[in-house]
Amino acid sequence: MALESTLAGLFPNGTAHYLLGGLLIGLGTVFVYALTAIPVGASTFLESTLSYVSDRQRFAKYRASRDWRVVFSVGIVLGAAAYAFTLGEGPWTTDVQPWRLALGGVLVGAGTRLGKGCTSGHGVCGVGSRSRTSILNVATFLAVAIGTAQLVAAVGVTP
Amino acid sequence: MSADDGGHPLFLPAVFVGGLVFGVGLAVSEMARPEVVLDFLQFEDFGLLLVMGGAATVSGIAFAVAERAGGTAPLTERAYARRLKSFDSNVLVGGVVFGAGWGLSGICPGAAYASLGVGNLPILWAVGGMFAGAYLQGWLRETVGARSGAGAGAEA
């Protein structure tokens, strides 16, 4: 009874879909890794795709991987679509304001590339590899994100 | 075609199937919803920990098994190894910048692509911002970084 109410407090929307989703994210990563030995991440796609349109040296080093990174990202889009339009609850849109998405996006794009990875590269593959670099990066972005979100909410920005 | 795939005909299909499963996972776990991520960051629902922890556990077991077994991957001839990146100040500075953006928007790269798949068109603001931010850091590192001698060649 006490455990039940604690769980309900921590996970008011249940735990099953989080666990199942996390398992599938892990399995998608492992599927690619088992066949290619590549620990795949989502944010390198940003720079590798820029190499199609920019001659900057910084992006040129991702030319060798840019094609498959497009394929992986298109897979993510279509996988999410396949679920949403069949077993899921159909399309939806976010209420978070465009300026938050755009400005946050700029910081996410810059920060993930500067920091060598994101929630998938560092958070899933790096932590799964028990990499000290990844664990330090994840601890940093988690702490800053929690502080930022709480601050934004505290000054009354919703949604 | 490129250095990474070695020309194996099943390389791109394999990457695509992995991406599909990854995308289904992001949709099922609701990480594609900025609101759910923001709820976690405000301590209203700790589900995100189950998602990231669950995914890291699954990949961690596979990486450990593959590394112990040794050998190379069938489609690339690459050796199985863990994902290890060199540590430098960029790892922390980047983490701070990413954290600020994630906390402001509730969206990260993979989740943003998945969000597009469920028809969440406003997420294009975030995707556009991510490309702009990725370009900005590339430009800054080449111009400012090259001039001060810092940053260049820092990545391993």
Side-chain angles (χ1 to χ4, degrees):
Chain A
M1 197 64 195
L3 178 67
E4 242 168 70
S5 61
T6 307
L7 278 177
L10 295 176
F11 306 103
N13 300 302
T15 56
H17 66 292
Y18 293 130
L19 288 168
L20 179 62
L23 183 73
L24 288 167
I25 293 168
L27 285 177
T29 305
V30 169
F31 186 80
V32 175
Y33 184 78
L35 294 171
T36 68
I38 296 172
V40 76
S43 71
T44 309
F45 165 78
L46 298 169
E47 283 190 288
S48 65
T49 301
L50 283 171
S51 80
Y52 287 109
V53 294
S54 165
D55 287 330
R56 274 194 187 287
Q57 244 187 320
R58 168 72 205 174
F59 310 132
K61 66 177 187 171
Y62 295 113
R63 277 189 191 147
S65 69
R66 65 185 183 185
D67 291 345
W68 72 254
R69 288 185 192 281
V70 169
V71 170
F72 183 70
S73 300
V74 169
I76 293 177
V77 174
L78 295 180
Y83 175 76
F85 291 92
T86 55
L87 301 170
E89 42 190 299
W92 48 261
T93 56
T94 183
D95 291 326
V96 174
Q97 301 171 62
W99 74 267
R100 290 181 71 173
L101 298 174
L103 181 57
V106 171
L107 295 171
V108 168
T112 53
R113 298 321 307 148
L114 193 58
K116 308 181 186 183
C118 61
T119 23
S120 56
H122 277 311
V124 176
C125 293
V127 169
S129 298
R130 303 186 308 284
S131 154
R132 273 172 56 95
T133 297
S134 291
I135 291 166
L136 286 167
N137 178 269
V138 171
T140 304
F141 76 63
L142 266 181
V144 173
I146 287 167
T148 304
Q150 308 245 2
L151 186 70
V152 168
V155 297
V157 178
T158 54
Chain B
M1 181 160 52
S2 74
D4 271 18
D5 62 28
H8 197 291
L10 290 179
F11 177 80
L12 290 180
V15 168
F16 179 68
V17 171
L20 279 179
V21 177
F22 197 96
V24 172
L26 281 167
V28 169
S29 65
E30 302 224 68
M31 293 297 106
R33 279 187 198 266
E35 284 88 344
V36 175
V37 174
L38 292 172
D39 277 352
F40 162 72
L41 296 173
Q42 291 166 54
F43 300 149
E44 282 159 22
D45 183 336
F46 286 84
L48 185 142
L49 290 180
L50 300 180
V51 180
M52 218 155 77
T57 304
V58 171
S59 66
I61 292 169
F63 290 3
V65 169
E67 195 183 38
R68 189 158 302 183
T72 57
L75 302 186
T76 59
E77 310 290 316
R78 272 170 67 129
Y80 290 114
R82 291 183 291 155
R83 181 193 186 274
L84 302 173
K85 299 260 171 175
S86 61
F87 182 81
D88 56 49
S89 61
N90 280 343
V91 172
L92 297 181
V93 176
V96 169
V97 175
F98 171 34
W102 199 37
L104 182 61
S105 63
I107 199 79
C108 59
Y113 316 153
S115 206
L116 207 51
V118 298
N120 181 19
L121 289 181
I123 214 68
L124 284 170
W125 288 105
V127 174
M130 284 177 201
F131 275 110
Y135 187 85
L136 187 69
Q137 62 85 37
W139 177 79
L140 278 173
R141 291 167 98 169
E142 274 187 22
T143 51
V144 183
R147 214 177 300 146
S148 67
E155 193 149 1

